[in-house]
Amino acid sequence: MTYENPWIYQGEVFEGNDIDKYHGFVYIIECPDGTKYIGRKTFWFMRKKRGAKRRSKLESDWKDYYGSHEGIKKEVAENGPEGFNRIILSLHKTKGEMNYTEIKEQFQRGVLETDEYRNYSINGKYFKELVKKWQL
């Protein structure tokens, strides 16, 4: 049951057969122009239906997800997903573990210090423009 342009995890197509064990994942998207993007994605949404007393666990859109970067989303919408490689770096059982690992990956890879990465901020607190300014 493969989906379009599947995520790759540890060198193989990630089917998501056991996602119920995890909260989400940290990923890298490799773009056709050679740039990259590091992010995180949850497998689940918690929704409370109108009038319901309890929340329901619903599978997210992770199979179709190309990150929150507007440029990447626009390119995929206009040109299709071909040429975009979606790689899961790590799977996580908790939100905290997933968030920490995303930030760690971004700092270790220096995503704000190079144009190789399309990330423009880390955790909404550290921005590419400020890092470049500090380096002068």
Side-chain angles (χ1 to χ4, degrees), residues 29 31-33 35 37 66-80 84 118-120:
I29 293 179
C31 304
D33 66 0
T35 60
Y37 182 81
Y66 282 84
S68 59
H69 190 279
E70 292 302 322
I72 294 173
K73 291 193 293 189
K74 182 179 178 184
E75 288 174 42
V76 170
E78 290 176 357
N79 306 320
F84 288 90
R118 293 194 187 190
N119 295 77
Y120 55 85

Side-chain angles (χ1 to χ4, degrees), residues 40-96:
R40 68 178 187 256
K41 180 64 178 162
T42 61
F43 287 120
W44 306 102
F45 292 125
M46 296 303 286
R47 296 280 190 248
K48 187 174 180 182
K49 293 183 181 178
R50 187 174 293 208
K53 293 185 182 197
R54 294 178 24 181
R55 297 187 311 163
S56 299
K57 185 176 175 181
L58 303 170
E59 189 172 346
S60 75
D61 61 345
W62 66 271
K63 291 179 182 177
D64 302 319
Y65 191 70
Y66 282 84
S68 59
H69 190 279
E70 292 302 322
I72 294 173
K73 291 193 293 189
K74 182 179 178 184
E75 288 174 42
V76 170
E78 290 176 357
N79 306 320
E82 297 78 25
F84 288 90
N85 297 316
R86 303 186 304 161
I87 301 162
I88 294 175
L89 299 173
S90 52
L91 298 169
H92 301 281
K93 293 184 178 188
T94 67
K95 179 179 179 181

